[in-house]
Amino acid sequence: MRYAQNNEQLTTNDKPLPKHGTKTNLFNRFTDSGWVYDEDVPPEERADPKVTVIVDASKTIISRNESPDIPFEVSINPYRGCEHGCVYCYARPTHEFLGYSAGLDFETKILVKKDAAALLRAELSKPSWKPLRIQLSGVTDPYQPLERTLKVTRSILEVLAEARHPVSIITKNHLVTRDIDLLSELASHNSVAVFLSITTLDADLTGILEPRTSRPARRLEAIAKLAQAGIPTGVMLAPIIPAINDHEIPAILKAAAEAGATTAGYTLLRLPYSLKGIFEDWLRTHMPDRADKVLNRVRMYRDGELNASEFGERFKGTGPIAQQVRDLFRIHTTRNGLNRSSFELTSEHFRRPEAGGQTNLFS
């Protein structure tokens, strides 16, 4: 396998795969190279042959958060951009800071932090490092299809498991179960929690809303496998979109609880910056009969706009629509025995790793 640097194209086999989430910009053509797929992996979970993998030469790996409505102070993002193609993804506009589009570029030009594990080891080995819970990942999915081959997320978990460092993970991909060995080691020190994000139980809706993600049954299976392994596991309903998936709140919470989830959370749809146009284009293409209804309901919990960025309101919204969602969620978490307790991760078992102990992932 070859990796692109300085915007050089990565060439791959051209195999049919599910469509992307948006069609708002063009991408380059590719010739043949050698990707090998496991036949047991569903097509939507395989790495896309039309993706350019770009080496991210970042010199630091820890991102710090100062937003008061985000429950973590530090995070690690192994990738920038995401193959999953979720049309609603609030992280899409971050690709514009890199000179790319929030549309197809976000799905097909993926930056990979090849030195993530070595950078993390160097950070954790410093005497000044205090073991705060790390969120993996805060922006794009750490288990997107490329991870199956590149194993950047796994290399990060290897360092965290060695250090017994607290970490929480959120993903839409069944691939997280590959790392049950490392997650179990962390769980034995009360240092990990994993959340599966489930937006819908409708596989057909998944195919157009978040086309390259694991299908709902696979995510529920992942919850079950993690829970059976003794790994604290929760479910995130993210995002809830009025008139599209809000009616599924009771069914999703029930299915997740039956699979083994013990906690649950949710967010309402956010449409920052260029995401407004991307989502509306998708909506009028796939659901023209209800497009205006959806957008009007979003405006109802965003003070008449399609987005609000105020801390404390951007995730949950305001007004009657937001209150209806809040009440429905609360009733059914209680009914299904969810959120009786929260995951309290500890750093008391932390041991500082030796510096320089990790080899270069791509060498």
Side-chain angles (χ1 to χ4, degrees):
M1 184 182 298
R2 187 167 62 83
Y3 300 89
Q5 300 192 53
N6 300 323
N7 295 326
E8 176 191 3
Q9 294 179 13
L10 174 69
T11 59
T12 58
N13 287 330
D14 189 21
K15 294 187 178 182
L17 284 170
K19 294 179 180 179
H20 291 284
T22 181
K23 55 182 175 58
T24 54
N25 73 311
L26 300 176
F27 51 89
N28 295 330
R29 293 170 293 174
F30 294 79
T31 56
D32 290 334
S33 182
W35 286 79
V36 178
Y37 297 116
D38 184 339
E39 292 301 318
D40 293 333
V41 178
E44 63 271 9
E45 294 182 29
R46 300 176 185 176
D48 188 345
K50 292 180 178 174
V51 163
T52 301
V53 178
I54 303 166
V55 172
D56 184 325
S58 296
K59 299 302 181 184
T60 59
I61 193 63
I62 302 289
S63 298
R64 295 191 176 273
N65 164 61
E66 297 181 355
S67 301
D69 57 350
I70 294 180
F72 57 85
E73 294 183 44
V74 292
S75 63
I76 296 176
N77 298 291
Y79 303 95
R80 298 186 189 186
C82 188
E83 290 182 89
H84 278 163
C86 304
V87 73
Y88 52 72
C89 182
Y90 67 87
R92 282 182 177 271
T94 64
H95 235 42
E96 295 172 352
F97 291 102
L98 305 172
Y100 300 123
S101 164
L104 275 177
D105 281 352
F106 182 78
E107 304 176 32
T108 61
K109 290 181 172 61
I110 311 298
L111 279 74
V112 181
K113 297 182 180 179
K114 67 183 184 70
D115 295 323
L119 292 169
L120 177 61
R121 177 178 292 275
E123 191 69 36
L124 301 190
S125 67
K126 294 177 181 177
S128 59
W129 175 257
K130 291 181 172 48
L132 300 168
R133 175 174 67 94
I134 291 174
Q135 178 69 33
L136 184 69
S137 145
V139 181
T140 58
D141 201 305
Y143 284 100
Q144 60 180 286
L146 278 174
E147 169 62 20
R148 188 176 300 279
T149 302
L150 301 187
K151 300 181 180 179
V152 180
T153 297
R154 181 170 177 84
S155 73
I156 291 168
L157 285 176
E158 287 172 346
V159 176
L160 293 173
E162 177 188 339
R164 299 173 181 173
H165 194 291
V167 59
S168 57
I169 300 168
I170 184 165
T171 182
K172 286 181 164 66
N173 205 306
H174 182 276
L175 181 58
V176 66
T177 61
R178 177 201 64 187
D179 294 337
I180 281 179
D181 57 335
L182 297 173
L183 298 173
S184 295
E185 172 64 20
L186 284 160
S188 70
H189 301 291
N190 196 25
S191 295
V192 71
V194 179
F195 293 82
L196 268 293
S197 176
I198 300 180
T199 315
T200 176
L201 297 178
D202 183 338
D204 291 334
L205 177 56
T206 302
I208 57 172
L209 185 65
E210 40 192 29
R212 307 292 313 290
T213 60
S214 298
R215 293 304 181 252
R218 294 267 290 171
R219 295 186 221 178
L220 291 170
E221 179 184 291
I223 290 175
K225 286 186 174 182
L226 292 165
Q228 289 163 11
I231 298 161
T233 309
V235 62
M236 279 293 294
L237 282 64
I240 292 172
I241 308 172
I244 292 183
N245 69 344
D246 52 347
H247 66 285
E248 292 194 67
I249 292 173
I252 294 172
L253 291 172
K254 183 175 187 292
E258 289 176 348
T262 58
T263 66
Y266 77 93
T267 63
L268 282 170
L269 175 69
R270 298 169 54 199
L271 295 173
Y273 306 110
S274 56
L275 185 56
K276 298 181 188 70
I278 290 171
F279 182 76
E280 182 171 356
D281 177 70
W282 174 88
L283 195 56
R284 296 197 183 281
T285 298
H286 294 282
M287 299 181 178
D289 59 321
R290 72 180 91 169
D292 289 332
K293 179 180 181 180
V294 172
L295 295 173
N296 287 335
R297 289 197 175 186
V298 171
R299 292 185 179 96
M300 287 180 68
Y301 66 78
R302 297 296 185 201
D303 294 324
E305 304 294 334
L306 288 178
N307 190 59
S309 57
E310 291 81 4
F311 294 140
E313 297 182 5
R314 54 182 179 161
F315 296 120
K316 296 296 192 287
T318 59
I321 295 290
Q323 187 61 49
Q324 288 171 15
V325 170
R326 190 177 297 113
D327 291 343
L328 187 63
F329 182 84
R330 177 181 51 80
I331 289 168
H332 286 276
T333 51
T334 301
R335 183 171 294 175
N336 289 286
L338 295 163
N339 292 345
R340 290 178 177 172
S341 61
S342 60
F343 299 144
E344 297 295 335
L345 307 187
T346 180
S347 60
E348 64 178 313
H349 303 291
F350 173 70
R351 54 186 183 185
R352 210 169 298 281
E354 293 184 12
Q358 184 78 4
T359 58
N360 189 307
L361 180 64
F362 289 178
S363 61

